[in-house]
Amino acid sequence: MNDTHASALDRESGEAYFRDALGLLPISIVMLGERGQMLMVNPQTARLFGYECDELIGKPVELLVPALHVDSHVPVRAGLLASQASGDRTALHELSARRNNGTEFQVEIGLNAFHFNDDSVTLAFIIDRTERYELERNRRDLAHLTRVSTVGQLASSLAHELNQPLTAILSNVQAAQRFLAADPIDLAEVREILNDIVQDDYRASEVIRRIRAVVKKGDLEVVSLDLAGIIRDVVMLVRSDAIVRGTRVTLDIEDDLPPVSGDKVQLQQVMLNLLLNAFDAMNDVPPVDRVVSVTLRHESKNMVCIAISDRGHGLTADKLDKIFKPFFTSKPQGLGLGLSISRTIIGMHRGRLWAENNIDRGATFFVALPVGNAMEQDESRERP
Ligand code: ADP
């Protein structure tokens, strides 16, 4: 046996070993050629995607993962491995994958380039993330549902608030009709009436804007936020509910606070939940005592803190932590999700949410948030 023959055999058995080894590994692995064509596919991959191994050999990898599109002029290593350009060989890419039957699912893909038999190849490790993605989606749907149901609690008082400008518009239009029937027409009066109608229309659309802003579902938008503006907006949203319940809300906001970075809708959800909880806690106290005070001030150089303080029944020692657990509720119609979701949201904003009993009566809920751009590195998520 000459040397060339021996090394060809070595190579063949080396390849066979390699193929067997890939078959034994418990995850899906695909070996890609320079142009993204599949050179080797282990049985786990074929099973995951609903193909036979042979069917995949030679086909472009984008058949399985459309986002791994390889420009025919750009070698796969250059085209796909942006993560390696940044020096991170183990970075995982979260991408959408497609099965043979057309259904899509989420995967995580790690790409590693190396030399195999003098060829430049890339090993793609594919991890099925369906379950994690479903869990995440359930969590998001739940948070959104809770938000919609919280706003639902406000429905009757919001309908009332909306009804006021609409009634005013109607009676102004009727008055204008009367003026127009007169001879001569008092144009100055008609002009004034039209101005009133425009103002009432603005009032109605403000109510609708505030509702829509909270129930919105969409991409998480991490931006620089004026927390004071968010607090004022939510206080306006619950204003008519507070009036119906005979509750006063006082605001004390420190001037010139730095912005925080975060998602407006999520932070509004937290505020809304804490305010409505405070109202609920005071259902049984005499109306004169039904006051919720909201303050916003610096907690330290890098943190701001919102405090929502009520004069309600307060929290027994065992409840101080329990109330943040999912499904803990003391209300007949409660879901018991508001505080646990709020804590998750504040955690995502790198902040803290906790409760303390007041010295005299009632409880105070604190939300501490970092100023600046603490959350901006996690931007690519979806809002609940
Ligand atoms: P829900 O409002 O649906 O019960 P939450 O998670 O928002 O769900 O609240 C959980 C529980 O925490 C409430 O049922 C109540 O017992 C308690 N709680 C919340 N806020 C207050 C408060 N301000 N004062 C006293 N207890 C409160």
Side-chain angles (χ1 to χ4, degrees):
M1 198 165 24
N2 63 30
D3 280 356
T4 330
H5 194 182
S7 72
L9 272 181
D10 278 354
R11 220 163 79 169
E12 264 175 42
S13 55
E15 269 189 41
Y17 274 129
F18 190 62
R19 201 183 303 269
D20 288 349
L22 291 191
L24 288 174
L25 293 173
I27 57 167
S28 302
I29 299 176
V30 182
M31 188 196 280
L32 305 173
E34 288 250 333
R35 308 261 165 231
Q37 76 278 24
M38 294 184 262
L39 301 176
M40 270 187 210
V41 172
N42 71 350
Q44 286 78 344
T45 308
R47 217 173 303 126
L48 178 64
F49 286 86
Y51 290 93
E52 296 295 327
C53 287
D54 293 348
E55 283 181 272
L56 293 172
I57 303 301
K59 300 266 170 52
V61 66
E62 62 180 289
L63 178 72
L64 306 182
V65 185
L68 289 184
H69 169 76
V70 182
D71 187 316
S72 58
H73 300 294
V74 183
V76 68
R77 277 180 307 133
L80 297 181
L81 302 184
S83 60
Q84 279 165 15
S86 66
D88 184 357
R89 292 180 60 83
T90 55
L92 291 174
H93 307 256
E94 206 164 296
L95 297 171
S96 189
R98 190 179 295 147
R99 293 196 183 85
N100 196 4
N101 63 11
T103 53
E104 302 220 334
F105 64 111
Q106 289 303 113
V107 293
E108 260 179 10
I109 298 200
L111 298 164
N112 278 284
F114 71 109
H115 284 279
F116 182 67
N117 292 343
D118 301 331
D119 295 324
S120 299
V121 295
T122 300
L123 268 192
F125 301 87
I126 304 176
I127 306 163
D128 181 2
R129 285 299 185 202
T130 314
E131 258 179 40
R132 196 177 76 178
Y133 186 74
E134 286 293 314
L135 265 177
E136 175 65 11
R137 208 175 56 189
N138 287 345
R139 193 189 63 76
R140 287 199 305 251
D141 284 350
L142 198 60
H144 182 243
L145 261 176
T146 322
R147 198 156 69 232
V148 174
S149 107
T150 314
V151 175
Q153 293 167 35
L154 300 176
S156 69
S157 52
L158 286 171
H160 180 69
E161 191 167 339
L162 207 52
N163 215 18
Q164 282 172 348
L166 294 180
T167 312
I169 288 172
L170 181 64
S171 50
N172 270 325
V173 169
Q174 287 165 339
Q177 282 169 333
R178 276 198 305 277
F179 278 114
L180 289 173
D183 190 18
I185 298 172
D186 186 343
L187 277 181
E189 199 69 53
V190 173
R191 202 169 291 126
E192 205 171 303
I193 287 176
L194 288 178
N195 278 340
D196 283 353
I197 291 175
V198 171
Q199 292 312 318
D200 283 326
D201 194 283
Y202 281 147
R203 265 173 68 198
S205 42
E206 260 303 288
V207 176
I208 292 170
R209 182 192 66 77
R210 285 196 294 265
I211 300 171
R212 290 185 59 185
V214 175
V215 296
K216 200 161 99 179
K217 189 174 188 181
D219 287 342
L220 186 88
E221 279 170 43
V222 178
V223 291
S224 181
L225 293 171
D226 162 30
L227 213 46
I230 291 181
I231 294 173
R232 287 198 184 95
D233 242 15
V234 178
V235 169
M236 284 303 281
L237 188 70
V238 298
R239 196 186 58 151
S240 27
D241 194 54
I243 294 170
V244 172
R245 296 174 184 231
T247 303
R248 260 187 324 123
V249 181
T250 65
L251 271 180
D252 177 6
I253 293 177
E254 197 179 303
D255 291 332
D256 300 325
L257 284 171
V260 299
S261 89
D263 182 87
K264 189 172 171 182
V265 177
Q266 288 195 339
L267 294 179
Q268 279 179 329
Q269 175 169 11
V270 173
M271 276 307 295
L272 186 61
N273 185 54
L274 297 180
L275 275 171
L276 292 182
N277 275 347
F279 291 0
D280 286 344
M282 295 189 299
N283 274 344
D284 295 329
V285 305
V288 280
D289 289 335
R290 290 186 200 153
V291 182
V292 179
S293 48
V294 181
T295 61
L296 169 62
R297 47 183 56 130
H298 263 114
E299 195 195 43
S300 62
K301 195 167 147 267
N302 300 319
M303 299 290 271
V304 287
C305 187
I306 309 169
I308 294 151
S309 193
D310 62 61
R311 297 188 194 170
H313 51 70
L315 294 153
T316 50
D318 64 315
K319 269 196 191 163
L320 276 169
D321 240 359
K322 247 196 237 163
I323 53 171
F324 292 100
K325 300 225 159 40
F327 305 113
F328 177 86
T329 182
S330 59
K331 304 173 194 171
Q333 314 291 332
L335 286 175
L337 288 172
L339 287 178
S340 79
I341 289 174
S342 297
R343 195 172 245 188
T344 309
I345 291 175
I346 297 304
M348 277 168 65
H349 283 76
R350 308 255 186 276
R352 239 164 37 89
L353 165 63
W354 75 101
E356 285 173 16
N357 275 315
N358 300 331
I359 294 170
D360 46 358
R361 62 197 285 187
T364 301
F365 283 74
F366 298 92
V367 178
L369 286 165
V371 298
N373 61 358
M375 207 191 161
E376 260 151 42
Q377 57 258 43
D378 293 343
E379 204 171 334
S380 58
R381 279 177 291 185
E382 216 176 307
R383 175 191 312 128

